[in-house]
Amino acid sequence: MARTGTMKGLLAGVLAVASCAAYAGAAFEVGPARAALQRLLPHHAQQIALVALPSGTEERYRIRGLAGHIEIAGTSPLALLAGAEAYLEHVPQVSIGWPGDSLDRLPATLPAPTHPIESHAVVPDRFALNDVDDGYSDAYLDWPGWEHKIDLLALRGINEVFVPVGAEEVYRRAFREFGYSDDELRAWIPAPAHQPWWLLQNMSGFGGPISAQLFAQRVALGRRIVERLRELGMQPVLPGYFGTVPPGFAAKQPGAALVPQGEWVGFQRPDWLDPRDAHFAKVAAAFYRHQRELFGDGVLYKMDLLHEGGRAGDVPVRDAAKQVFAALDAAHPAARWVLLGWQHNPPHAVMEAVPHERLLIVDGLSDRYNGMDRKRDWAGAPFAFGTIPNFGGHTTLGANADVWIRRFAAWRREDAGSLRGIAYMPEGSGTDPATYALFTALAWTPVPDDAPRWLERYAVYRYGGGDAHARAAWRILARTAYAMPSGEWSEPHDGLFGARPSLDVRSAATWSPTAARYDLARFNGAVCELLEVAPALRTTSAYRHDLVDITRQALSNQSRLLLPRIKAAYEAKDTKQFQALTTAWMDDMAMLDRLLASDPDFLLGRWLMHAKAAARDDAEAAQLEYDQRSILASWGDRSGADRGGLHDYANRELAGLVGGLYAQRWRRLFDTLLGGLNGSRTQPIDWYAMEQSWARSREPYVTEPAGDPWRLAGEVAHRLRFCAAAGD
């Protein structure tokens, strides 16, 4: 024993010396990675030595060491953190998810790997965050929230992150040079939750004007974000300039050629400045100059011409793309233009106009349709295999996971010259930890080759230990919610509790799937298995989150089974049955709200609290909270909500929202219909007015969870007889 201890001590000393030597000769500083590790593993980080390896043709890491003396070596700060996550998953078998972790299952002394673990990135571009993520995830997220978000992205090897925060100040400063007053520009720029669509040239002004103080706060936050990304070897992807101008530009700049952009789902779009016009180069130069002053030089700039129905008018798109790229190239000669692969974007003319080595297309449809050929579609331009597994930040579970694995492998073989990366782009991040973990795993060896096997292993480190019931739960999930096929959709169906009430409604969001995308009855078995997980594993935040989330999904799915029965009772004029079924519906919603309230990740109060905290006074708090609330319900004004179909686009199941607005709407419908069955005259319901009343209300919502998730999930399973087949 004494000799063994001496040998361990000597080897630990050798590792420490090697680490110090590596630090001294490294091409990068390990300090930022160590600081992130300390944030993530405050009680264990001191047992991990980080070693900088020389950079080569591929990003890689290596893990080895002894108990209590783990060495992680990598070619960048990002590789070191990706290695740390791999160590946690493979050796002590715990994980840090987004959200939920099993770190309280870590032993006091970190165990040694039985053999060295090595991995390398199979693609160089690993992109994350949708253009609209800031709006649907939390536009008012503070620095501690962003710091943790960046750490979670780094742990999964993401090296390119879209950062729109602070772009409004770039626009404000640039257009002050072209005759606009501060008041005019502040009236044009929306409040933060709606800014993503302004940056996409879809709309303007909604929820504003925002205060000078908030402009300054967001610039300071944006600077901290890009600085931290660069410290960790990650590239911020900043918005580029492609021609959006405020109202009245031609009046202030006589002779400027503008192309009116018409409407976007009920909103008036900003005008587009013809990139061939001499004014364009001047505005773009001012934009990039101010952006550089605020956020430094970058190498990746995100912008899309004619997004979702934009009009080219008489402007040849190829010529426009040439001038947009020329302006970017003049400001940043080494920059790449990042474009979203979505609907008809990017136009083929862009690929003809811009050198391919200066492009990167982040494809939002790689897993959605069949028969795609992206090499053909984009003339061999480099692209990242991408997914948008949720829209509007829906709290839905599931993904086309088998499609990811099969198609990514096939496209790597067939399009090796043009497929350069992955792009993880849910419209609202942080809602489905398994989806995030599996998709990002595609970019590192060993590349997942079977979704069910991968998810069964995931069940072990997700909860911090092997458990037959946890594995059984994930086998069920792997064959239901995570086995959805391609063809038309990349996201699961949403629940009907969050829909504008109607007996005929088939989805809550206008553009969501109208039917269930997997076997709902089979899915329920996952709840039963999770309830049987060993008590020792139930203490982790990962288990509690998943139990609430999976039970939430099972209960939400019941809405699709119950509503047709309610409709049938109403059409049969069976008042007694109608009352019984609508009572069951409202009881389900009340039960769902109680379940959601038991976990911090499902609290409306937490989603609203950052908006309130960003305000300087009560009046601004009301303005910013309305900005946050409105995007969940009516989204915008009446034309967008009703005629444009945007209402409930961002529906989600959160405690306070389900028991508040959603329950109020359904109670109103059922009472109205019951009155009609009893002979009363009914009046049409103004749903928009109800949604606006809720969005402008100020009632507080709890920010701390209440209740026992395991007990509440058990109540759901018992009441709805999810586990009847298993003898419940």
Side-chain angles (χ1 to χ4, degrees), residues 159-463:
N159 62 358
E160 298 163 357
V161 181
F162 182 60
V163 184
V165 181
E168 66 270 41
E169 177 65 4
V170 178
Y171 271 94
R172 191 190 70 84
R173 293 188 183 192
F175 281 104
R176 286 296 301 272
E177 297 184 15
F178 293 88
Y180 287 89
S181 69
D182 195 59
D183 286 346
E184 288 174 315
L185 293 170
R186 289 174 56 229
W188 178 56
I189 297 171
H194 289 78
Q195 282 184 18
W197 297 271
W198 164 70
L199 290 172
L200 288 166
Q201 204 180 35
N202 294 151
M203 48 86 77
S204 64
F206 188 88
I210 59 175
S211 66
Q213 173 186 298
L214 191 55
F215 270 89
Q217 286 179 5
R218 285 178 58 80
V219 166
L221 176 60
R223 281 174 162 167
R224 295 187 78 171
I225 293 168
V226 299
E227 287 168 4
R228 176 59 55 79
L229 291 172
R230 288 167 178 153
E231 287 173 0
L232 291 173
M234 305 161 78
Q235 291 291 342
V237 182
L238 299 172
Y241 185 72
F242 58 97
T244 304
V245 294
F249 187 81
K252 294 179 183 296
Q253 300 294 317
L258 302 178
V259 181
Q261 291 299 290
E263 282 193 357
W264 175 80
V265 287
F267 286 92
Q268 187 65 38
R269 303 176 65 136
D271 289 341
W272 183 41
L273 175 59
D274 185 344
R276 301 170 303 169
D277 188 287
H279 292 86
F280 179 89
K282 296 176 183 177
V283 175
F287 178 93
Y288 288 120
R289 172 165 37 84
H290 287 295
Q291 189 179 58
R292 180 186 296 109
E293 291 167 356
L294 292 170
F295 303 112
D297 280 312
V299 295
L300 295 168
Y301 291 85
K302 172 77 175 61
M303 48 187 165
D304 296 287
L305 299 182
L306 311 173
H307 176 76
E308 289 192 352
R311 302 175 181 181
D314 62 356
V315 180
V317 175
R318 185 172 183 271
D319 293 346
K322 278 187 176 181
Q323 296 307 314
V324 170
F325 175 72
L328 174 62
D329 187 55
H332 301 287
R336 283 192 292 167
W337 180 355
V338 181
L339 305 104
L340 176 64
W342 176 247
Q343 296 182 352
H344 302 294
N345 284 359
H348 204 273
V350 174
M351 271 65 73
E352 298 174 350
V354 182
H356 285 187
E357 67 273 14
R358 304 289 296 280
L359 290 172
L360 175 63
I361 303 164
V362 290
D363 186 16
L365 298 171
S366 296
D367 60 340
R368 186 158 178 171
Y369 301 114
N370 294 321
M372 291 189 298
D373 183 341
R374 287 320 206 185
K375 187 174 183 179
R376 177 201 63 208
D377 294 342
W378 296 324
F383 73 96
F385 181 94
T387 182
I388 304 177
N390 81 20
F391 289 80
H394 300 161
T395 44
T396 51
L397 279 177
N400 299 355
D402 287 322
V403 179
W404 294 348
I405 289 173
R406 289 185 283 101
R407 194 169 289 180
F408 183 67
W411 287 10
R412 280 182 64 208
R413 290 191 303 269
E414 299 163 8
D415 299 339
S418 52
L419 196 161
R420 288 184 47 91
I422 63 166
Y424 179 70
M425 298 183 293
E427 289 197 342
S429 56
T431 62
D432 186 343
T435 290
Y436 175 58
L438 176 53
F439 188 80
T440 52
L442 295 175
W444 294 82
T445 58
V447 178
D449 59 4
D450 181 87
R453 281 201 304 267
W454 189 95
L455 287 165
E456 194 169 343
R457 291 192 296 268
Y458 171 82
V460 176
Y461 57 76
R462 174 68 176 161
Y463 307 133

Side-chain angles (χ1 to χ4, degrees), residues 91-113:
V91 185
Q93 294 188 318
V94 300
S95 70
I96 303 172
W98 193 11
D101 66 65
S102 50
L103 294 180
D104 63 357
R105 297 282 298 166
L106 271 177
T109 300
L110 293 179

Side-chain angles (χ1 to χ4, degrees), residues 463-488:
Y463 307 133
D467 182 275
H469 291 289
R471 290 193 295 270
W474 280 94
R475 281 197 296 272
I476 293 170
L477 295 171
R479 288 167 173 79
T480 54
Y482 295 92
M484 297 185 300
S486 59
E488 186 177 1

Side-chain angles (χ1 to χ4, degrees), residues 134-136 139-140 190-197 607 624 627-628 631 635:
D134 198 46
Y136 289 136
Y140 297 93
H194 289 78
Q195 282 184 18
W197 297 271
W607 199 74
L624 304 186
D627 183 39
Q628 283 279 74
I631 208 164
W635 205 98

Side-chain angles (χ1 to χ4, degrees), residues 396-706:
T396 51
L397 279 177
N400 299 355
D402 287 322
V403 179
W404 294 348
I405 289 173
R406 289 185 283 101
R407 194 169 289 180
F408 183 67
W411 287 10
R412 280 182 64 208
R413 290 191 303 269
E414 299 163 8
D415 299 339
S418 52
L419 196 161
R420 288 184 47 91
I422 63 166
Y424 179 70
M425 298 183 293
E427 289 197 342
S429 56
T431 62
D432 186 343
T435 290
Y436 175 58
L438 176 53
F439 188 80
T440 52
L442 295 175
W444 294 82
T445 58
V447 178
D449 59 4
D450 181 87
R453 281 201 304 267
W454 189 95
L455 287 165
E456 194 169 343
R457 291 192 296 268
Y458 171 82
V460 176
Y461 57 76
R462 174 68 176 161
Y463 307 133
D467 182 275
H469 291 289
R471 290 193 295 270
W474 280 94
R475 281 197 296 272
I476 293 170
L477 295 171
R479 288 167 173 79
T480 54
Y482 295 92
M484 297 185 300
S486 59
E488 186 177 1
W489 306 104
S490 61
E491 71 163 343
H493 53 269
D494 54 13
L496 302 183
F497 293 135
R500 267 192 183 177
S502 162
L503 297 186
D504 296 308
V505 70
R506 299 176 66 195
S507 66
T510 300
W511 298 279
S512 285
T514 56
R517 295 200 62 217
Y518 52 81
D519 186 326
L520 303 186
R522 189 178 186 186
F523 179 93
N524 296 342
V527 177
C528 308
E529 294 292 351
L530 279 182
L531 285 168
E532 296 297 327
V533 165
L537 301 185
R538 297 179 197 164
T539 61
T540 66
S541 65
Y543 173 81
R544 294 193 302 271
H545 173 92
D546 288 1
L547 181 62
V548 170
D549 202 12
I550 292 165
T551 308
R552 173 208 58 75
Q553 187 65 61
L555 182 50
S556 178
N557 287 342
Q558 296 304 300
S559 64
R560 293 185 168 273
L561 305 177
L562 186 53
L563 191 60
R565 296 176 62 201
I566 293 173
K567 179 181 179 182
Y570 177 76
E571 291 179 341
K573 302 187 185 306
D574 187 338
T575 302
K576 184 177 179 180
Q577 178 74 343
F578 179 80
Q579 286 183 294
L581 293 174
T582 56
T583 296
W585 178 282
M586 298 307 300
D587 287 348
D588 283 355
M589 294 189 74
M591 180 179 284
L592 177 57
D593 203 65
R594 291 196 304 275
L595 173 71
L596 295 167
S598 69
D599 188 89
D601 299 323
F602 298 95
L603 299 178
L604 176 63
R606 290 208 171 192
W607 199 74
L608 295 175
M609 67 183 186
H610 294 125
K612 299 176 185 178
R616 59 184 173 177
D617 55 33
D618 190 63
E620 187 173 34
Q623 175 193 12
L624 304 186
E625 187 176 353
Y626 171 72
D627 183 39
Q628 283 279 74
R629 285 175 177 245
S630 63
I631 208 164
L632 296 182
S634 54
W635 205 98
D637 55 29
R638 187 180 288 275
S639 63
D642 294 349
R643 181 165 55 84
L646 283 172
H647 67 85
D648 298 298
Y649 181 87
N651 75 86
R652 57 196 68 188
E653 289 164 351
L654 301 176
L657 184 59
V658 171
L661 174 65
Y662 293 170
Q664 293 164 18
R665 292 194 304 192
W666 281 102
R667 182 75 275 160
R668 179 75 175 275
L669 177 72
F670 293 152
D671 287 347
T672 300
L673 295 178
L674 182 60
L677 289 176
N678 291 327
S680 300
R681 289 188 65 182
T682 61
Q683 297 294 327
I685 302 169
D686 188 342
W687 298 118
Y688 179 79
M690 285 187 69
E691 293 152 4
Q692 283 293 292
S693 177
W694 177 82
R696 294 196 180 279
S697 63
R698 303 291 305 283
E699 77 271 30
Y701 292 96
V702 298
T703 57
E704 295 300 325

